[in-house]
Amino acid sequence: METTITVKNLTKKFGTVVAVNNVSVTVEPGTFLTLLGPSGCGKTTLLRCISGLEDPDEGEIYIGDKLVYSHVKGISLAPGKRDLGLVFQNYALWPHMNVYKNLAFALEIQKLSKDEMNRRIKESLAEVQMTGYEDRYPREMSGGQQQRIALARMLAYRPHVFLMDEPLSNLDARLRMDMRTELKRLHHVSGATTVYVTHDQVEAMTMSTNIAIMKEGVIQQMDTPDRVYHFPATLFVADFIGNPKVNLMPGWVSGKDTVDIGKFNVPVSTLNQTGDVVVGIRPEDISISAKQEDDGVEFTAYSVLPSGAETTIIARKGDTELTVREMGVSKIKMDQKIWLKFHKEDINLYDKASGNLVNG
Amino acid sequence: MAASTFDQQTKVEKLQTYLRRFYRWISRPQVILSLIMLVVMFYMVIIPLYRMIVTTITVSDSDLRVLKDANIGDITWYHWLRMLTSKIAVIMTYEPLLHSLTISLGATVLALAIGGLMAWLVVRTDVPGKGIINTLATVPYIMPSWTIAMAWKVLFKNAKSGGTPGLLEFITNQPTPDWLAYGPFPIIVSSALHYYTFFFLFVAAALLSIDSSLEEAGELSGAGRWRIMRKITFPLVVPAIASGFIMTFSKTMGTFGGPNVLGVPVQYYTLSTMLRSNTGIGNYGDGFVLAIVLILFAMVTVMINQRLVGTRKSYETIGGRGFMAQKMKLRNFKGLFTGIMVVFQFIIAVLPLTLLIWSTFMLRTGDYSLNNFTLAHWIGKGDISINSGEPGVLLNPRIYMGAWNSIKLSLFTAFFTAFFGVILGYAIVKGRGTRLSKLVEQLAFIPYVIPGIAFGAVYISMFTKPVGPIPALYGTFALLVVVSVAKHIPYSSRSGVSAMLQVSKELEEAAAIAGASPWQRFKRIIFPLTSTGFVSGFLMTFITTMRELSLIILLVTPTTAVLASMTMRYIENGNEQQANAVIIVLIVLVLIGNFIISRFKGGSLKKGLGM
Ligand SMILES: Nc1ncnc2c1ncn2[C@@H]1O[C@H](COP(=O)(O)OP(=O)(O)O)[C@@H](O)[C@H]1O
Ligand SMILES: [Mg+2]
């Protein structure tokens, strides 16, 4: 069964800190939504409000068609009644119970029969490839194994909504890669509506069907990874997503579909925007040439940073510094003159005052 | 989704909303538990304090002799004026106050010197025999606080004030000087030898928790050893010293045993012994004035101390586990320090017990020769010339009753204290950051700063009549349990909080998500993960209650007497050997209790002490 999560005008304060500020989100059935943002932006708080571990100050939350929280109606369902599972950052496996008992805990509360319980535990251990670990205690397992058990514990009682708070952040880089694959498959197979919290953009980009980028308790943009990457709704999002970072150049609209950066112009569809703007262009959307070209702008290669599959070139012209990305090994040498070309359709234009995307 | 703003709701809907919110608030376990504990502490601490204050300004029937025109229940300042401004105020209040302050300060400073030095030797030097020293530090927890005072008496009393000579006078045939036999000097020394252990434990823990890299950083920057001590080490142990200070000062302020054994025979009264002699003759109004003075002085000291150290840090002992610090090499002094330690161990543990045991085999006091040997105090059938005709300790039904009372009291107290510990720990930790939680924590701190004997006095005025649902308890065994549990509330709250902090909140949250009710969460997650801490807490409470005297001395009756109070009664009747024999019995019972309880769940006295 597939479940929608609807959050309306949700606000949560801690003293004077507004951790979640009037957030409204709808998570469609089967979505893998990632809450992404810098540390302290309110991701965990939003997730905990949905789970019921935190009581918000304003707003409403629906899970499926069940109203689980409403400030004005004074309703707040206990976490256990919301039909959801949560994987904690530190796993939170009960240290005095072995794997079997950790998994059985929720099933006993649901009063399942012994046979059913054993079957479910077996199944969920198999799903995370931990068959045979029933008798282990948490301290007898590695971090990665504990992580899998934490997942299995959630899978065993089959909630309709999965919540995960930075579940991979305590793992080393290799394991994290493996677990991403597993988690994505898990979602693919179960189809459960999932809300996933991370501050790691690669994690968000690779696993999600939707990403919500948060800043200071507010969702800046919620969209597919592809759109978040190519059409960041605000300067903050543009700057936060992408590695190497997007090139942001302040300028002003100097004519129809032209922005003056200072020493050169960039072609943009300006859609009647006037005045001060910021131009955003991804490093891979700039083409680079060692020979002079008609519509190319002359730069100097300040530094060339090959990394095997691609090469990052830092180009300079006066005060302007741009990052350019070329696939494969580049022939450009340091201090060499280069000509850069900007493609009109790849360029995003932001209003300088509001930071909002103009031509999206 | 109908009414989604508050203004659109009807009156009934609004009422419903408020009820639901209130119900949600009150049904959080930490809120219910906090409220329950508030009520409990209100009954156990606030109301008794209030009643005591009221008693000092109310005319009682015994006041009618002096206040001829007054009626019972009228308001009067008579007791306050009499105790603070009249001619007898000097004898009744100011001298005892001065004596109490002298003794408390003297004992605290001496205890600090001993405890601090030992802690430093054990943690920071290569002195041998650390295991023994650590074990020894638990000895004062096992011996009643006035054991050393009693042993002192056996050793140093003189015939002039004590009737019969002490061992020293017996051997040298020279009268022991009065200053050495009775009064402030022996009380200070015997208290310090008992209470040094707080400083030892706290300072040792603090020294252990200091990251030696801090000191090494100091050394690298070229600072001398003394400078490092002063600038880095010392500031870091100040909070530990402050906790030891509060604890020792407030304990010695309220201590009754030592001053009663070594002060009263020469009319050297402290507030505690004066308080007893007033309430002993039913003069409650005057006695309670003294109790309030005692409480105020103890509170002021604690406040000054905390102001100096800053915030409430000093209340918490510093936990933290061993960073390996560099040990100082004692080299040539090793022998010297080892010698000092051995002598010291002998003085506080071996010597007092030997003297006490020896004295119990003496027919007449004062004669230490072999032909005075007797077993009468242990297994005598009851001879009218010995111990007012009571049979020997091992055959005496009163002793058995007292021992049974002691055990019962300690078990009940330990049980309720552990129980409150769980509740307080949960309520305070889960409610962290809310005003309710802060209120509970602060209220739980109050008994800590009320000296033992004054806390007992508080309960005289309480429960003589029924209060709310609680029946009149005066003179009952239950009252002893109530007062002991109440006095232990600060310790329950502290050990409960630290046990609860060991369980990360996600562990309980994970269970909540899985659908467990608060009770299931407690039973299956929280309790199993904290029980070791509570067993240690149980043991600590058992032991401290077993040998508690000051707290209950004003409240016991002949039928509710416990071993601790019986030693005092015997000594006051002049049956010194019998009193000493009872102390030995008491110590043996404590040791047995310690042995049995520490079998469970790996709790131990050392753990309870944070060692
Ligand atoms: N229990 C709490 N008490 C007080 N402040 C909190 C609490 N939890 C979170 N905050 C504050 O709320 C803000 C958002 O925190 P959080 O949701 O944990 O951020 P994130 O998960 O995005 O790093 C932060 O400023 C944090 O300090
Ligand atoms: Mg977080």
Side-chain angles (χ1 to χ4, degrees), chain A residues 83-117:
Chain A
D83 190 20
L84 43 81
L86 173 57
V87 178
F88 292 84
Q89 184 169 1
N90 62 3
Y91 320 141
L93 295 176
W94 298 300
H96 58 302
M97 299 182 189
N98 62 18
V99 167
Y100 182 90
K101 286 187 181 146
N102 261 285
L103 266 58
F105 186 86
L107 306 181
E108 283 166 9
I109 287 167
Q110 292 179 357
K111 303 211 162 62
L112 294 192
S113 72
K114 195 86 192 161
D115 289 344
E116 174 70 4
M117 212 153 82

Side-chain angles (χ1 to χ4, degrees), chain A residues 39-40 42-45 89 165-166 197:
Chain A
S39 161
K43 311 176 294 285
T44 297
T45 307
Q89 184 169 1
D165 190 358
E166 312 218 13
V197 163

Side-chain angles (χ1 to χ4, degrees), chain A residues 2-5 25-35 47 50 84-87 151 154-155 159-165 167 183-197 207-212 222:
Chain A
E2 297 183 322
T3 311
T4 315
I5 304 172
V25 188
T26 305
V27 190
E28 298 295 344
T31 305
F32 190 121
L33 172 69
T34 297
L35 303 177
L47 191 79
I50 295 174
L84 43 81
L86 173 57
V87 178
L151 265 177
M154 175 175 81
L155 297 176
H160 287 135
V161 171
F162 293 175
L163 306 177
M164 307 186 201
D165 190 358
L183 279 177
K184 191 154 186 173
R185 272 228 64 84
L186 195 74
H187 175 252
H188 178 72
V189 172
S190 69
T193 310
T194 302
V195 182
Y196 184 98
V197 163
M207 296 199 298
S208 329
T209 58
N210 291 73
I211 298 179
M222 180 164 130

Side-chain angles (χ1 to χ4, degrees), chain A residues 30 36 94 142 232 282 337-338 340:
Chain A
L36 176 66
W94 298 300
S142 70
R282 296 272 172 211
K337 278 204 169 90
I338 48 174
L340 304 182

Side-chain angles (χ1 to χ4, degrees), chain A residues 172-242:
Chain A
D172 59 41
R174 238 195 74 95
L175 263 175
R176 209 177 305 170
M177 191 63 206
D178 292 350
M179 283 305 288
R180 268 184 219 151
T181 318
E182 299 289 332
L183 279 177
K184 191 154 186 173
R185 272 228 64 84
L186 195 74
H187 175 252
H188 178 72
V189 172
S190 69
T193 310
T194 302
V195 182
Y196 184 98
V197 163
T198 183
H199 64 268
D200 179 339
Q201 50 163 308
V202 181
E203 228 166 271
M205 296 298 286
T206 49
M207 296 199 298
S208 329
T209 58
N210 291 73
I211 298 179
I213 289 142
M214 289 184 73
K215 178 196 176 192
E216 290 165 10
V218 177
I219 292 186
Q220 302 277 310
Q221 180 175 11
M222 180 164 130
D223 225 324
T224 60
D226 175 53
R227 285 201 50 91
V228 165
Y229 187 79
H230 290 109
F231 302 98
T234 64
L235 279 173
F236 173 81
V237 176
D239 194 44
F240 188 78
I241 298 278

Side-chain angles (χ1 to χ4, degrees), chain A residues 12-15 17-20 37-46 48 54 165-166 197 214, chain B residues 505:
Chain A
K12 171 69 189 174
K13 297 179 193 140
F14 293 106
V17 179
V18 185
V20 174
S39 161
C41 69
K43 311 176 294 285
T44 297
T45 307
L46 177 54
R48 286 169 61 85
E54 209 77 71
D165 190 358
E166 312 218 13
V197 163
M214 289 184 73
Chain B
K505 70 172 181 167

